[in-house]
Amino acid sequence: MEVTQIDSIWPPIHQMIAHAYSMWNVRFPSVLAQLAIFVFYALAGTRKDLLFNLSIFAYMNASALSSYVLLIIPYIYFPFLCLVMGQAGYLALATRSNFTSTWSGPGRPYLIPCRTTHTRLFPKKHLFSYSYLTIGIPIGFEGNVNGMIGVNEKSISTIWDRVLFASFFFQSWYSVRASDHLQRGHDELGLRGKLDLYLKSEGLNPTDFPHAYLVTAARFAGYQFNPVSFWYLYSSDRKLSAMILEVNNTYNERRPYLVHRDSTAEVKTPDSRPSIKGYRVKDFYVSPFNSRKGHYTVLAGDPLGTGMVGFNGIDVKITLNSSKGHPKLVARLFSERKPIDPSLLGTLSKLVFLARWFWVGFVTIPRIVKEAIILLYRRKLEMREKPAPLLGTLGRHSTSTEKVLERCFRRYLEFLVHHSKRPLLVKYNSSGFISKSEEFSSLSYVASPDAENVLELRVLTPAFYSRFVQYDDGLDGITSELINHKTIWINKPELTQHIFTPLSVTSRSQSYSDSIFTALTRNLRRSPLEASIDSDPIHPPRTFLPARGAKDVHAPLMEAFMICQADGGLKRQYQWASFRQLFADWCLMGRVDLLDGGIDIVRMGIAWKCVSLSTNMEETTENRP
């Protein structure tokens, strides 16, 4: 009988020990470096590190990978051919739906070829004119118009939402989204719901304007930069009654201006159609060559025909006047040819239209940059530093660091109000997030009709959150940002001293890492940079509080609150976000993005070293006798 002999396990184990001993003695620095890299990736590794490692590995082994690619090309040739054919079909509008959503209300969606002109009269004369494409849609309409215009289009499936560029293939060429207009957030309400919220914020009854028509620069293939949108508001008898000019600047800030129609001072346009003439104080930073002083005069004709039937064309004229009443700049947007009903376009007509107009949205910012260069270097105009936004302006979107600091500030403010000895109700409005008011009340607060103890705090720009962590004292921070830098607005500043008061914060034992963090931030913390202010606020606070000196500091730091009271996850997020912000303020002029870029370079260096060590160790193993 044949007996199967079982090999001993000891020779392989002995071989492994000998190899480890050889590596320890011969390549000890490499082993130590690999161990350090392993610890780094175990504690602070991200998906970005994986991407860096894969990219560098592919670069260092390009010749080997190319041979594998040549081997698999015959197998991927047919799928690649199918992809090319799919792209060709897409360009031929085969994947675009020809379905047109039904709409029984007044007004129709239109593609509106226009021209915009800017005439600068003072202090230097300058003129330019460009072609421009706008989209007109009746508010309340949602859906698809022949694959050309889409308004709040629904996703085809949750699966495709996760696929990169899926919306580019399955949605309309020109799309209008509720997220691109009026308040931040509340997108689920649609354009009509957001319009109603804005009208209520202006003290108006939305039922007085049951019909509305929006003229805007829509997204093309997902991209958009929209300097201004026009909301035409109509009464129940379908007569033009008011207008909203929704102005955006290149800093992602937004300012809606409401202009009412004054029937007693009716102004007829050259074609004798109804029009709106209005006057609004300029309080929004649009151009670096103009201050926020002065006022606008607006003259706009009704784009729709009688009873909101048909389309007369766009004609809007905006004049910027100086504080002394002299015209400085005249901007005009007007229809250059007849509007196009997208539901009537065939496949060839669509291709011709897209070939003629697809590029307009992409060159809007380059055109702005070009004209700015001409004004700066040829006309010798002086550029003004961007000031902090005023009340009524929707601040830019917040950065990832500001999002974390906002959550911490909100928790900190809620804690202080809750433990305030004075009965208080605080209405807190954040910036850079959803336009929503949150209310915090003290334990002793009882609602009363006179609202004597109701404080409203509006953050005007997300920069407030990154600035607030630089102060050693909460009340100093609030007072300085209110009076000196105007990054916040408070209706009753005198009540803030009852919020930022000394509190007995129950502290848990501080860890060693918390002590290191506190010492680092204490050395990094500096006074915030001065904010540029070129005009007085439109809604100044009632009273001012004197800023306290360092010797008067008594309010608990938000930092101390986060260490002592916040949960572990939020505390770590705060520590990392505040450290990055303070370090950037200390040596990078507050540019956290530059710090992130430097961190990415370090991560790429670690990835390079990791791949290099792995390759060298593999070569050593292959060459070992």
Side-chain angles (χ1 to χ4, degrees), residues 67-87:
S67 62
Y68 285 112
V69 171
L70 293 176
L71 289 175
I72 65 174
I73 280 181
Y75 301 98
I76 65 172
Y77 177 76
F78 180 73
F80 178 76
L81 181 62
C82 292
L83 178 62
V84 172
M85 293 178 63
Q87 290 282 357

Side-chain angles (χ1 to χ4, degrees), residues 406 409-410 426-430 436-438 457 459 465:
E406 189 278 335
F409 176 80
R410 188 190 332 134
V426 174
K427 296 181 179 180
Y428 165 67
N429 294 269
S430 62
K436 174 183 170 183
S437 177
E438 296 185 65
L457 189 157
V459 180
Y465 305 112

